[in-house]
Amino acid sequence: MVGLVMRLVEWALPARPFERDDQREPEIRRRLLARTGHLIEVVSVMTPPFICGFAIVLWNQSPFRGLVTWALLVLGTAISCLLAVRQMNRSSLPTVPPVALVVAMAVSGSTWGSIPLVAMPDDPAYRALTGMLVFAPLAANAVFSASVPRLFWAFHLGVVITASIGYLRSGSATDLDTVLVLVYTIPFGAVISAIKMRHDEQGMYFALEHEATAAELSVSNEQLAVEASRDSLTGLSNRTDFTMRLEHAMATAEASTSQVGLLFIDLDHFKVVNDSLGHAAGDELLVEVANRILARLRPSDVLARLGGDEFTVLIPEVDGVDDVARIAERVLTAFDEPFDLQGRRHRMSASIGVACTGEQGLTSADLLRLADAALYQAKGEGRARTSVFDSSLRARLDDRLDDEAELRDAVANGEFTGWFQPIVDLTSGRVDAAEGLVRWVGPNGIRDAGSFIELAAELGLDIDLSAIVLDELHRLQVELRSIGAEIDLGFNLPPAHLLELLARFDGDADLSGITVEITETGVIADVERVVEHLLDIRRRGASVWLDDFGQGQSSMSLLTHLPLDAVKIDREFVTNVVTDITSQAIVSAIADIGHTLGYRVIAEGIETLAQADALRGLGVTHGQGFLFAAGLPGADFLALADQDFDFSETLGLVQRPGWRWLTRAQQPPFP
């Protein structure tokens, strides 16, 4: 009957708001049983004071022996339920209640329901109390064990059957009504049990869902924390994690007499591996390098990959820089044996900068900067070696910092300006072009670009200097046109800043008379993009010259790829063109190729008439250099252009009495 009622109730209840999960079903049952067992423990502990209170009330109204018997039986069964739950909890928690607990609950229910059978009072008022002792356990059982049907029905049926027998024995009409009510508690109990079990299952299901989600989030957070502190390729500490470890080690060292050492490692010519064997081989090499270095470090040392082919090593608790240097030398032995890369043996070397916290007040950034400076020195001394940051390197670093500060201040104070060096037609002596040059006119005199241009590029100030020259060039161009002088003005422009600088002109402005000089070293990094930009500015009227031709490694191929109007021969070939047969052959070949492609051929760095004659004889049509003039301020260049100056006399093409052009000795001195 109970089973039939339960099936009817299940059919009448709405569908579960979740899909039954066969994998989670056992865990849901296990948890519901554990919670029910805990509630049974609570009820068992609360039973003695409850029974004592009712026993006192019924002491004089019920049969004494029967009342005592009932109370003792209830207490005994409560203890048996408590022991059965404890035994269940000590074993691996089952998904269904053990037989001992089911029997204990059935006996306990029968004992609670036996009070009408063994201790029925004669007074009708007190007979109602026995009804409370029957119906109250039924209600409590519905609350505490309805989620576990076997336990619920074991207790419920025990109370109903035993109490019904007791009430039927009295034969009174009231007691028969009570029996009828007890029988009706069976279907009501089925409904309550089904609803509560469904509700508790749902709650437990969502609790498991929450726990699973929380566990996944916890795992994800742990993985993110690891990924945030680890290099994805090598598994080493990354920059962020290494910086934190370095700061902690330095803070710990301050409280002791030990010091912290640092190695800054950079692979020599790593780009060759990527370019020749591919990035996969490069990654393979980085992983092997990391493993070899780790094998040569102490357990307390921390190896990190900062990015690319740069590694750092934190060496805590050292006595001084000598200890760090010895570890650095040991690390260098990791590169003694060649590396096997995709079936090919490849030798690789590394340069290492060494620094130590010997000075007070150093921060982690300071220590990294010192090690980086030592690394820079190691590379400058020939690579494949270690270099220790010492007092001499400190002096050079201080000088470098002073130079950086001075250069930045000079840019901010407007100490840079554009000067212009004439470009002469070697066949006529006429000036038909000029190159814009940047000059530093400061309190200490005039400095040419050779003294600061490399540092400016490293600091990212080269675009500012190019902009200064471009602005001065634009002003001079307007003034030259106003006096009718047709002189092209050009300047050397880094390809990376090409569009950014030319944007200073109007988008559709005519760039006729402007010459953009580019170097091959600045082009080869991205030839296709540079070509696209150069074609655009040529469509707007500008000319494109290739500067320092012959200095790089891919000049000949560039001549056919770039949209050029002229090529400038590097001064290295001009210097020895009079006496060196090789230089003569190279200059002649460049001139022939240039003329064939329709380019103007210009020689740089002409200092003597003999050089000019030799170049002219080899087919070079234009030149610039100290033989004619050094760079001139814009105002001076304009004044001389207004006199329609040329260098035919300097070249020995004509003799004009009383006319002498500026010689090199008369040019402004440059360091």
Side-chain angles (χ1 to χ4, degrees):
M1 176 181 176
V2 172
L4 177 61
V5 172
M6 289 291 290
R7 288 189 180 91
L8 289 173
V9 172
E10 283 284 333
W11 174 79
L13 286 175
R16 287 182 174 85
F18 60 90
E19 292 292 334
R20 182 178 292 276
D21 189 337
D22 292 338
Q23 293 183 343
R24 288 184 178 173
E25 188 74 18
E27 182 61 22
I28 291 175
R29 296 293 171 211
R30 194 174 288 113
R31 292 194 179 197
L32 289 177
L33 179 58
R35 188 178 68 178
T36 300
H38 176 67
L39 294 176
I40 291 173
E41 286 182 306
V42 173
V43 172
S44 299
V45 172
M46 293 174 60
T47 295
F50 182 79
I51 294 300
C52 290
F54 271 95
I56 292 172
V57 173
L58 296 174
W59 190 264
N60 294 321
Q61 306 300 325
S62 298
F64 176 75
R65 181 179 296 177
L67 181 62
V68 172
T69 301
W70 173 80
L72 292 176
L73 288 174
V74 169
L75 292 175
T77 55
I79 293 173
S80 67
C81 288
L82 181 63
L83 294 176
V85 170
R86 294 286 174 86
Q87 179 62 34
M88 178 185 71
N89 291 338
R90 279 193 294 268
S91 61
S92 58
L93 196 62
T95 58
V96 295
V99 175
L101 180 57
V102 175
V103 172
M105 288 291 287
V107 173
S108 178
S110 299
T111 303
W112 275 96
S114 67
I115 190 169
L117 189 64
V118 299
M120 179 78 77
D122 293 331
D123 189 333
Y126 284 94
R127 290 172 74 88
L129 290 176
T130 63
M132 289 184 60
L133 294 177
V134 172
F135 287 101
L138 291 177
N141 182 53
V143 174
F144 293 132
S145 63
S147 298
V148 183
R150 292 189 184 186
L151 297 181
F152 172 80
W153 289 112
F155 187 90
H156 191 93
L157 293 178
V159 173
V160 170
I161 293 172
T162 308
S164 296
I165 293 172
Y167 283 120
L168 287 173
R169 284 186 59 186
S170 68
S172 68
T174 302
D175 291 341
L176 291 176
D177 291 340
T178 303
V179 172
L180 185 61
V181 172
L182 286 173
V183 172
Y184 269 106
T185 63
I186 294 175
F188 286 129
V191 173
I192 292 172
S193 176
I195 293 175
K196 191 168 189 306
M197 183 175 64
R198 178 70 60 82
H199 177 271
D200 290 346
E201 281 182 347
Q202 177 180 339
M204 199 62 67
Y205 174 84
F206 288 123
L208 288 174
E209 281 283 306
H210 175 74
E211 290 179 8
T213 303
E216 291 176 0
L217 287 175
S218 177
V219 172
S220 298
N221 289 336
E222 291 177 0
Q223 291 176 344
L224 288 174
V226 170
E227 292 175 1
S229 62
R230 293 290 164 183
D231 172 57
S232 59
L233 176 63
T234 62
L236 302 175
S237 292
N238 60 13
R239 182 183 293 273
T240 301
D241 183 65
F242 183 80
T243 301
M244 293 175 58
R245 290 173 179 265
L246 179 58
E247 290 173 350
H248 177 73
M250 293 179 68
T252 303
E254 287 183 359
S256 64
T257 58
S258 64
Q259 299 180 29
V260 174
L262 181 65
L263 306 184
F264 207 130
I265 307 169
D266 186 83
L267 305 186
D268 299 327
H269 306 297
F270 175 72
K271 188 175 183 296
V272 175
V273 176
N274 274 342
D275 291 344
S276 60
L277 301 181
H279 289 281
D283 291 346
E284 182 182 345
L285 174 62
L286 292 173
V287 172
E288 181 60 23
V289 166
N291 292 335
R292 289 192 186 185
I293 294 176
L294 279 173
R296 288 160 174 80
L297 298 177
R298 306 174 305 176
S300 59
D301 300 335
V302 179
L303 175 63
R305 178 179 174 232
L306 300 190
D309 60 333
E310 291 183 341
F311 296 84
T312 51
V313 180
L314 166 62
I315 307 174
E317 299 180 0
V318 294
D319 294 330
V321 72
D322 292 340
D323 288 348
V324 185
R326 281 193 290 271
I327 295 175
E329 292 295 337
R330 189 163 68 242
V331 169
L332 272 186
T333 63
F335 301 89
D336 289 346
E337 296 297 325
F339 294 84
D340 291 327
L341 302 177
Q342 297 181 350
R344 300 175 60 179
R345 294 172 65 82
H346 185 89
R347 288 199 171 272
M348 174 61 63
S349 63
S351 302
I352 304 178
V354 179
C356 191
T357 56
E359 304 178 34
Q360 295 297 321
L362 287 178
T363 65
S364 60
D366 292 333
L367 193 61
L368 279 167
R369 182 168 53 84
L370 301 185
D372 188 34
L375 170 65
Y376 186 80
Q377 176 172 271
K379 285 189 171 293
E381 292 175 350
R383 296 183 170 84
R385 66 192 67 218
T386 64
S387 178
V388 177
F389 187 88
D390 53 18
S391 57
S392 62
L393 189 53
R394 160 67 73 181
R396 290 197 294 275
L397 184 60
D398 290 341
D399 290 341
R400 161 73 180 228
L401 293 176
D402 291 340
D403 291 341
E404 290 181 7
E406 185 182 12
L407 184 58
R408 293 184 187 277
D409 290 342
V411 172
N413 296 332
E415 296 179 8
F416 289 91
T417 186
W419 286 25
F420 299 88
Q421 185 176 31
I423 296 176
V424 180
D425 186 335
L426 298 182
T427 61
S428 67
R430 302 285 299 176
V431 175
D432 56 12
E435 179 182 359
L437 308 170
V438 63
R439 291 291 182 264
W440 184 351
V441 183
N444 298 324
I446 303 171
R447 307 187 199 180
D448 65 4
S451 63
F452 59 81
I453 198 65
E454 182 177 348
L455 178 58
E458 292 177 9
L459 298 178
L461 297 175
D462 51 341
I463 186 172
D464 298 286
L465 302 184
S466 296
I468 291 171
V469 175
L470 183 58
D471 290 342
E472 186 69 24
L473 180 150
H474 186 49
R475 285 193 294 270
L476 181 59
Q477 185 186 49
V478 173
E479 294 173 340
L480 287 172
R481 287 177 177 174
S482 68
I483 64 173
E486 296 294 334
I487 298 178
D488 293 339
L489 299 178
F491 70 114
N492 199 306
L493 182 62
H497 305 314
L498 183 65
L499 294 185
E500 184 177 355
L501 288 169
L502 291 179
R504 301 172 75 89
F505 295 96
D506 293 336
D508 56 352
D510 183 11
L511 300 182
S512 299
I514 292 180
T515 297
V516 174
E517 296 187 21
I518 57 173
T519 60
E520 58 184 295
T521 54
V523 170
I524 58 177
D526 192 352
V527 175
E528 297 302 324
R529 185 175 63 88
V530 173
V531 167
E532 180 181 348
H533 294 164
L534 294 179
L535 287 172
D536 180 60
I537 66 171
R538 287 188 79 202
R539 282 192 292 267
R540 296 171 58 187
S543 300
V544 178
W545 294 1
L546 182 62
D547 195 18
D548 297 330
F549 184 75
Q551 192 180 58
Q553 300 177 357
S554 55
S555 300
M556 293 302 176
S557 63
L558 285 178
L559 288 179
T560 60
H561 283 82
L562 297 178
L564 300 175
D565 297 286
V567 58
K568 299 180 74 173
I569 302 173
D570 187 66
R571 66 181 64 244
E572 178 182 347
F573 304 110
V574 174
T575 300
N576 301 316
V577 73
V578 176
T579 58
D580 184 56
I581 297 177
T582 301
S583 296
Q584 294 171 0
I586 292 174
V587 169
S588 178
I590 294 173
D592 290 342
I593 294 173
H595 294 320
T596 301
L597 297 175
Y599 300 157
R600 181 185 299 182
V601 181
I602 306 167
E604 297 181 297
I606 302 176
E607 298 189 0
T608 67
L609 180 58
Q611 291 174 340
D613 291 339
L615 291 167
R616 187 168 52 238
L618 293 171
V620 177
T621 57
H622 291 75
Q624 68 183 101
F626 286 140
L627 173 65
F628 310 111
L632 300 170
D636 293 349
F637 188 91
L638 180 64
L640 293 172
D642 193 30
Q643 300 177 27
D644 196 25
F645 63 96
D646 67 45
F647 294 90
S648 56
E649 183 180 0
T650 303
L651 291 169
L653 301 177
V654 297
Q655 295 291 329
R656 290 189 289 177
W659 176 265
R660 239 178 119 234
W661 190 243
L662 298 175
T663 64
R664 181 176 180 182
Q666 294 172 300
Q667 304 303 320
F670 299 104

